[in-house]
Amino acid sequence: ASSVTNSETKHPPTSKRRASASTEVGAEGNGRQTMEGKKEEDEKGVEKEAELRLPDGTTVKLPVLVDAAGQTFVDVRHLQTATGICTFDPGFSSTASCQSKITYIDGQKGVLLYRGYPIEQLAKQCSFAEVAYLLQYGELPTVERSMEFQEKLTYETMVHEHLIRFYQGFKPDAHPMAILVGVVGALSSFYENTGNIHDPLQRERACTKMIAKMPTIAAIAYKTAKGQPIMYPRNDLSLVENFLYMMVC
């Protein structure tokens, strides 16, 4: 596994039930714990530990963690600072790379979860905006919140006209991804009220702007690489419809 998950596997509600989705997901979400609160305990409530014997005979005790998917991990975060010894695991083949409440990946089993939901179910039953809302806020939106979020995204799809001039500095044969990376890096200079990561409101604003503007930025990058005139987003189209419109028209 490449990540530690704190979310249990869930199933997205059908369209008929989505009006109460946030309540249902929220109820489960409130019961989730961080990995720090998920140390493995034996039947007597004593925390389990793994013992590592070093070449000099010293024994080091390491905490044993269990994630929401039931997988067991040995916590070696403090091994180097405590002993000066490091682990060697090329490619992180036996190491969880991060702790996440947002995504869970198990490449060997073909598992990808967003906030505990299998990605294939979200792709079939939810819209792009609903999945974006789920990732940002941790729960599926109600019908009302979904409409509000979609409207908010719609009116954030336009990019600053000066930002579009950045595209003129790229070679005509530049790869669209190279263009995309360069332009996204410049966004912070145009939206300075989104740069304080310690301000929840600015973090929310930055996430919303990024979600809304990425299709526009990607479409302009594609058009630039093709040497074609760009198309501006339309407020009467959804985010996905706008992306297709800007790409092919």
Side-chain angles (χ1 to χ4, degrees):
S2 57
S3 62
V4 178
T5 180
N6 302 120
S7 303
E8 297 180 359
T9 303
K10 307 169 187 174
H11 301 282
T14 62
S15 57
K16 293 181 179 179
R17 295 174 54 212
R18 193 167 295 146
S20 59
S22 62
T23 303
E24 295 171 357
V25 175
E28 285 192 51
N30 291 335
R32 291 199 298 265
Q33 295 176 296
T34 62
M35 279 303 303
E36 285 75 14
K38 292 281 288 184
K39 291 183 178 180
E40 178 74 322
E41 299 179 350
D42 61 18
E43 295 179 354
K44 297 182 180 180
V46 179
E47 293 180 0
K48 289 186 177 181
E49 296 178 325
E51 289 190 355
L52 174 65
R53 187 177 299 276
L54 302 178
D56 62 1
T58 304
T59 299
V60 180
K61 293 185 177 181
L62 303 170
V64 174
L65 309 177
V66 177
D67 73 356
Q71 299 191 77
T72 302
F73 299 82
V74 177
D75 187 351
V76 297
R77 282 176 290 184
H78 305 295
L79 179 63
Q80 197 276 336
T81 55
T83 67
I85 301 295
C86 295
T87 59
F88 179 64
D89 182 19
F92 293 100
S93 59
S94 299
T95 302
S97 59
C98 66
Q99 173 186 323
S100 176
K101 294 182 180 179
I102 300 176
T103 61
Y104 172 73
I105 303 172
D106 189 333
Q108 294 181 341
K109 295 181 179 179
V111 176
L112 172 58
L113 306 179
Y114 280 176
R115 298 286 190 178
Y117 292 98
I119 185 63
E120 61 271 17
Q121 294 184 18
L122 292 173
K124 291 180 180 179
Q125 301 181 34
C126 300
S127 67
F128 176 89
E130 288 171 333
V131 176
Y133 185 99
L134 171 67
L135 292 174
Q136 184 169 343
Y137 297 104
E139 60 186 23
L140 286 170
T142 62
V143 173
E144 292 77 13
R145 288 183 180 178
S146 179
M147 294 176 64
E148 291 173 0
F149 188 62
Q150 177 65 60
E151 183 178 13
K152 186 184 297 184
L153 292 178
T154 298
Y155 288 99
E156 288 285 0
T157 54
M158 186 69 73
V159 297
H160 198 287
E161 194 69 21
H162 288 180
L163 184 69
I164 298 177
R165 297 178 185 175
F166 272 68
Y167 293 90
Q168 300 174 5
F170 295 100
K171 294 174 60 179
D173 59 346
H175 194 283
M177 279 302 298
I179 298 175
L180 191 69
V181 171
V183 176
V184 170
L187 281 177
S188 60
S189 64
F190 288 89
Y191 306 101
E192 297 179 354
N193 61 343
T194 60
N196 185 359
I197 62 173
H198 302 292
D199 185 336
L201 182 60
Q202 290 199 28
R203 290 201 305 269
E204 179 183 12
R205 188 182 297 127
C207 289
T208 302
K209 286 182 179 294
M210 181 66 74
I211 294 169
K213 297 182 188 302
M214 280 302 293
T216 305
I217 293 172
I220 298 176
Y222 175 78
K223 286 286 192 176
T224 299
K226 292 292 184 180
Q228 299 175 0
I230 67 171
M231 303 298 296
Y232 289 90
R234 289 167 39 183
N235 290 342
D236 61 324
L237 300 176
S238 69
L239 204 66
V240 175
E241 290 171 339
N242 245 327
F243 179 61
L244 292 176
Y245 166 75
M246 291 185 290
M247 287 283 287
V248 303
C249 292

